[in-house]
Amino acid sequence: MQFPKVTLERPRWTPFNIVAAIVVVVGLGITVLRFTKGLAATTNLSDYNPWGIWIGFDLLVGVALAAGGYVTSAACYLFGLKRFHTAVRPAILTGFLGYALVVLALHYDVGRPWRLPYPFIVQQGTTSLLFEVAACVALYLTVLFIEWTPAALEWLGLKRARNLVVRLTLVLTIFGVVLSTLHQSSLGALFLIAPSKLHPLWYSPYLALFFFVSSIVAGLSMVIFEGALAHRYFHHKMDEAHRREADGVALGFAKAASWVLGGYFVLKVVGVAQADAWHHLASGYGAWFLVEVIGFVLLPCFFFAIGAREKNLRIVRFTAAWAVLGIVINRFNVGLIAFNYHLPSSERYFPHWMEIGISLFIVTIGVLAYKFIVSHMPILYAHPDYEPH
Amino acid sequence: MSISRRRFLGWMGAAGAGLAAGGRAHAAALPPSGGHPDALGVLFDVTRCIGCRKCEEACNRVNELPPPERPFQDLGVLQKTRRTDARTYTVVNRYEGIPGAKGPLYRKIQCNHCLEPACASACFVRAFTKNPDGAVTYDESVCVGCRYCMIACPFEIPTYEYDKALTPRVMKCTFCHPRLVQGLLPGCVEACPSEALTFGRRRDLLRIARERMAQFPGRYLDHIYGEFEMGGTAWLTISGVPFAAIGMREDLGTTPAPELTKGALGVVPVVAAMWPVLLTGIYAINRRRDRIAREEREAAVAAAVARAEAEAKKKLAEALAKAEKDKKAAIEREVKKALEEAARARGEAPAGPTPGTPGATKPA
Amino acid sequence: MGGPVHSLHEFMLRTESITYILIAAALCAFVFFWRFLSERDDDRDHLGADRPGPGEGGHGAH
Ligand code: SF4
Ligand code: SF4
């Protein structure tokens, strides 16, 4: 058994590193402010707007975009699409990092972060959908961590432990899909309790279903998107199998994403019909709703289809970024833009620059962690000593 | 048959008795609602409120809240529409120029102490309790500060101490629960000089409201706000102008908050129970298909190998047979040749050694 | 968990708490039941308490 040597190269001042360094330094500064002066000093939250971008972006968007882990591992291990095998590890890694960062972000947002375990160990508010979200996120973070450990254990050369974990693959995958289904949908269901505050075009008894279905799209698109980025920047880290399968993964996922987006579009339209909210379409919110549903659901659906049919990777990758943006817009709409639509504009929320600073800080930490792990651990290549699982 | 029939009728009788007795037998069939039968409440009569802010002052005093920026006697504060905040459990707002009203109208805001509190339903640490006296109280010792209660409350009542770094609390009216326990009136009710606030059992208040409506025809709208809104509230309001005109939402509906999330919560066990079944099933089916495919592949390979082997054997046999024939022919030829040669030699020259048959028997 | 129930909220607090416990128990039970179910299969899977055979279909990609 031989432990790997981590060679810490001296940091090179590439533009990326400079920007990252600035964001991290500023982020640390805001962190100090947040925990010494409180939320009032660092956010624009108010009694009307208790949730800002730390929930709307960091939680709602973060969890949706980290859906690649469960989508890919389900496709590969449960639905038997083994050609996607090389996509599993990167997807699990980004999923794990995503959830870890979501939990980190929550520490900034909640008033007393050290009490975050209270819903489990002190008093269980089981009637709350937030309880369910919290329980599932906590469990799923654990599942993702275990699913990710084989890479770390291979890196560390701990063969026995690694094989033990690999044997759990099936249980973990199924458990992961169950937990993901539950909390992805429950994030939408959080807003079910406030029908008077969420605009009728977005409020729907189907909110939970909307969030779940769109999380599949988010997961598929993110895998394509991250794959494209990884190819650009970590090509040298990839092994033969990875490069060979990558295009197939992108095209296959594009086809799946197109199909799911089609279903999602129908659901969204049915949602309007069920709420009988047609007349709202003529308002400003209606126009914005149409932008979301046509511009960021229907069109990506169509372009994914073209890309998959023509086997055109450029269209597929471009559309993946587009669809991801669509998910971001949807989560922002539900959490921030169409929420409190009844309030006068003077009472509406707009993020403080420090809130944006912390969100950027957290994303940057994620990118740095990804870079480190991908550069050192067998993520984009299979470790020569181990059979792929 | 007759026994089981009699027994069945007996059960029916027992069930009927249970229903007649009320209580749990009924609760088993339908989830209960309506809250504690003797719960207390307050009736706020908009037509009586004079906007003096005495209730605000009393609330501040009995709850030991921080002193206000401007004194309670300063009615200029009413120029701006205010809401509850972390230092104020209740506020009175002024509404002017309402059609049908002679002068300005005032409306007091505070927690309505819902019968089915959305805040309590939303809190994931059960920080809120609906007490038998009707008060919805908050326990800061468990609160995580997620502020989901503030998202959930349809009346936008709970507020948060955003400016505290380490010990922020949710702040909201307690219905003076500690005072009620001591047999005292809520601070605001006690202070109100114009009897705009009537304290009592909620079911009595509903009756009182109706009596006032009957006593002063035309003075009130036929609507007790809070009787059914969001499943009903302990605080009730009656008014002579539409409630929307005094800043109260009329589009909240009558669905109690827990009802709104019931469906989504009900799906949880379904997913938890059926997803493993379905997913493991899909996995097993794929696995089986893989295995069958593999077996078929192996069988096909074996068959092909067998066929190839048989063919090779046949070819070998044929070749051997042919070789045998060739050999025979060659021997015959050689023998014939030898005989002819011998005959010729006999005729021409003395006999030489017979040339041996060469390796011509090699199979072709 | 006894006592009279006066509101839908209290009712759901009771039912949901029990449901969550049942879910947790069921999820654990599923693992063991599946093991029991496929223990005697010729090619046991990851839940069947056996190592995947070489080249075994479930997960080997290449
Ligand atoms: S008014 Fe709001 S804070 Fe008061 S009990 Fe109802 S939901 Fe809770
Ligand atoms: S902020 Fe506190 S009281 Fe409100 S829902 Fe969260 S934990 Fe419960």
Side-chain angles (χ1 to χ4, degrees):
Chain A
M1 198 170 74
Q2 195 190 359
F3 279 91
K5 266 180 279 166
V6 182
T7 44
L8 283 178
E9 307 151 31
R10 242 184 311 131
R12 260 170 288 124
W13 293 112
T14 59
F16 171 82
N17 285 350
I18 294 173
V19 173
I22 294 173
V23 171
V24 168
V25 169
V26 174
L28 291 175
I30 304 174
T31 305
V32 171
L33 214 56
R34 155 69 185 88
F35 290 105
T36 52
K37 293 275 181 313
L39 288 163
T42 42
T43 69
N44 277 345
L45 297 176
S46 67
D47 292 329
Y48 276 125
N49 302 289
W51 284 358
I53 59 165
W54 289 349
I55 297 293
F57 179 74
D58 297 17
L59 176 67
L60 298 186
V61 173
V63 166
L65 297 192
Y70 91 88
V71 171
T72 313
S73 54
C76 175
Y77 294 141
L78 301 180
F79 293 87
L81 304 173
K82 281 164 233 140
R83 272 176 311 142
F84 299 154
H85 190 264
T86 51
V88 171
R89 270 203 183 172
I92 294 280
L93 172 65
T94 43
F96 169 56
L97 288 176
Y99 275 86
L101 296 173
V102 164
V103 173
L104 175 65
L106 287 179
H107 284 77
Y108 285 84
D109 184 76
V110 303
R112 307 195 196 194
W114 50 92
R115 286 186 177 175
L116 276 170
Y118 273 29
F120 316 119
I121 56 174
V122 176
Q123 219 163 254
Q124 295 77 25
T126 47
T127 55
S128 171
L129 276 156
L130 196 60
F131 176 79
E132 201 238 291
V133 170
C136 289
V137 167
L139 285 171
Y140 188 48
L141 181 61
T142 316
V143 166
L144 278 171
F145 175 73
I146 303 174
E147 283 188 306
W148 165 79
T149 47
L153 294 172
E154 285 172 17
W155 177 56
L156 295 170
L158 300 171
K159 208 161 187 164
R160 288 260 295 283
R162 180 263 183 202
N163 287 341
L164 201 78
V165 178
V166 166
R167 257 199 270 166
L168 295 172
T169 303
L170 180 62
V171 194
L172 291 175
T173 305
I174 292 179
F175 200 39
V177 177
V178 172
L179 292 171
S180 294
T181 309
L182 290 177
H183 72 264
Q184 293 284 3
S185 57
S186 295
L187 280 178
L190 283 182
F191 294 90
L192 284 177
I193 203 162
S196 56
K197 296 185 185 175
L198 185 56
H199 192 282
L201 281 171
W202 281 274
Y203 185 89
S204 161
Y206 297 152
L207 259 175
L209 198 57
F210 290 164
F211 268 56
F212 172 58
V213 175
S214 56
S215 83
I216 300 175
V217 177
L220 294 168
S221 305
M222 275 308 273
V223 170
I224 300 174
F225 184 62
E226 289 157 2
L229 290 183
H231 265 264
R232 182 105 170 242
Y233 298 108
F234 294 102
H235 198 75
H236 55 285
K237 284 280 170 195
M238 294 181 177
D239 64 7
E240 194 38 49
H242 207 102
R243 289 182 202 158
R244 181 159 29 79
E245 283 183 15
D247 294 354
V249 169
L251 292 175
F253 275 32
K255 187 173 175 185
S258 173
W259 191 236
V260 178
L261 273 170
Y264 180 53
F265 177 74
V266 175
L267 273 181
K268 286 292 268 186
V269 175
V270 170
V272 178
Q274 289 271 306
D276 201 25
W278 299 109
H279 59 284
H280 289 291
L281 288 178
S283 65
Y285 275 108
W288 182 234
F289 180 78
L290 290 176
V291 168
E292 182 197 318
V293 170
I294 294 177
F296 290 93
V297 177
L298 196 58
L299 285 181
C301 167
F302 179 68
F303 276 85
F304 265 139
I306 299 286
R309 268 172 66 100
E310 306 280 324
K311 311 239 176 305
N312 185 327
L313 280 173
R314 286 188 53 164
I315 297 184
V316 163
R317 286 174 182 162
F318 175 75
T319 314
W322 187 359
V324 166
L325 187 61
I327 301 297
V328 176
I329 289 178
N330 172 260
R331 300 307 195 256
F332 269 52
N333 281 344
V334 174
L336 303 170
I337 297 172
F339 190 78
N340 274 342
Y341 74 105
H342 61 292
L343 292 181
S345 55
S346 59
E347 299 293 352
R348 297 298 304 274
Y349 162 86
F350 191 83
H352 194 281
W353 71 264
M354 291 201 213
E355 292 179 77
I356 301 174
I358 287 296
S359 291
L360 283 178
F361 170 64
I362 285 171
V363 171
T364 309
I365 295 183
V367 174
L368 292 176
Y370 180 85
K371 261 185 79 169
F372 176 83
I373 295 176
V374 162
S375 319
H376 291 92
M377 299 182 196
I379 301 291
L380 298 173
Y381 57 93
H383 196 290
D385 297 354
Y386 299 88
E387 243 183 78
H389 62 103
Chain B
M1 273 308 269
S2 69
I3 291 173
S4 68
R5 184 179 151 82
R6 204 177 312 142
R7 207 183 269 165
F8 176 71
L9 289 174
W11 286 335
M12 291 300 283
L19 275 176
R24 292 297 302 280
H26 181 64
L30 260 180
S33 64
H36 295 265
D38 289 328
L40 302 165
V42 169
L43 175 64
F44 174 60
D45 190 333
V46 176
T47 66
R48 293 184 180 184
C49 179
I50 54 169
C52 63
R53 300 186 67 210
K54 288 274 193 295
C55 53
E56 286 188 37
E57 185 181 15
C59 177
N60 178 278
R61 181 167 28 85
V62 303
N63 290 301
E64 289 163 12
L65 295 171
E69 278 163 38
R70 290 164 75 178
F72 287 107
Q73 287 71 30
D74 182 355
L75 296 185
V77 170
L78 294 173
Q79 236 117 51
K80 252 178 65 190
T81 306
R82 296 167 301 150
R83 60 155 291 157
T84 53
D85 61 41
R87 341 170 83 217
T88 327
Y89 288 167
T90 186
V91 294
V92 175
N93 277 322
R94 180 165 64 199
Y95 297 89
E96 273 166 307
I98 301 164
K102 278 177 220 92
L105 292 176
Y106 303 90
R107 204 252 307 182
K108 179 182 182 298
I109 307 173
Q110 74 298 310
C111 172
N112 283 323
H113 299 278
C114 307
L115 303 187
E116 299 285 359
C119 53
S121 176
C123 180
F124 68 162
V125 285
R126 254 192 289 145
F128 292 97
T129 310
K130 175 77 180 169
N131 295 280
D133 62 9
V136 176
T137 50
Y138 160 77
D139 174 7
E140 64 161 286
S141 71
V142 289
C143 173
V144 180
C146 66
R147 307 187 297 283
Y148 187 35
C149 47
M150 298 166 69
I151 293 280
C153 172
F155 304 105
E156 298 169 326
I157 294 303
T159 67
Y160 202 62
E161 294 183 312
Y162 289 108
D163 49 356
K164 286 202 183 159
L166 297 176
T167 56
R169 294 169 295 175
V170 169
M171 301 295 277
K172 106 179 171 51
C173 157
T174 62
F175 204 177
C176 285
H177 179 68
R179 285 169 62 90
L180 293 185
V181 172
Q182 294 172 31
L184 297 171
L185 282 176
C188 54
V189 175
E190 200 177 62
C192 181
S194 64
E195 289 182 29
L197 299 172
T198 312
F199 177 82
R201 270 197 298 228
R202 184 176 183 270
R203 54 188 157 95
D204 297 336
L205 293 176
L206 285 170
R207 209 192 54 239
I208 292 171
R210 293 243 158 65
E211 279 167 10
R212 272 190 216 169
M213 288 173 179
Q215 208 178 340
F216 305 102
R219 184 166 172 175
Y220 299 101
L221 294 179
D222 185 19
H223 180 178
I224 305 172
Y225 193 101
E227 185 175 13
F228 300 117
E229 271 75 12
M230 290 302 287
T233 57
W235 280 62
L236 305 164
T237 307
I238 50 175
S239 155
V241 299
F243 292 99
I246 48 173
M248 299 169 82
R249 294 192 66 172
E250 295 187 293
D251 57 351
L252 296 181
T254 56
T255 314
E259 198 75 59
L260 293 167
T261 49
K262 218 177 159 203
L265 283 172
V267 173
V268 172
V270 176
V271 170
M274 291 320 289
W275 251 222
V277 172
L278 285 176
L279 294 171
T280 315
I282 289 170
Y283 164 79
I285 288 167
N286 278 322
R287 202 182 147 76
R288 191 173 170 72
R289 216 183 42 196
D290 283 350
R291 204 183 64 194
I292 288 171
R294 201 173 55 229
E295 278 170 8
E296 275 173 0
R297 214 182 315 121
E298 275 160 14
V301 169
V305 168
R307 215 177 316 117
E309 261 172 16
E311 224 152 75
K313 238 187 228 153
K314 207 167 109 204
K315 262 196 200 139
L316 187 67
E318 270 167 19
L320 281 176
K322 190 158 167 265
E324 198 63 24
K325 231 163 81 195
D326 286 354
K327 195 170 149 191
K328 257 193 201 136
I331 291 173
E332 260 161 37
R333 220 169 32 247
E334 289 304 322
V335 169
K336 217 167 133 201
K337 220 159 105 193
L339 286 175
E340 274 169 16
E341 245 158 54
R344 216 179 301 140
R346 229 181 285 128
E348 293 168 12
T354 316
T357 45
T361 55
K362 232 190 282 166
Chain C
M1 282 215 192
V5 166
H6 289 286
S7 63
L8 184 53
H9 175 237
E10 284 169 27
F11 175 79
M12 282 175 64
L13 209 49
R14 182 203 302 245
T15 55
E16 288 301 321
S17 302
I18 297 172
T19 304
Y20 275 113
I21 295 169
L22 291 178
I23 290 174
L27 284 176
C28 296
F30 273 144
V31 176
F32 292 102
F33 186 47
W34 181 253
R35 266 180 84 135
F36 171 72
L37 203 59
S38 38
E39 218 167 24
R40 305 243 169 117
D41 291 357
D42 319 330
D43 58 338
R44 283 180 274 180
D45 52 48
H46 290 184
L47 277 174
D50 204 2
R51 247 182 57 78
E56 171 267 346
H59 311 313
H62 36 241

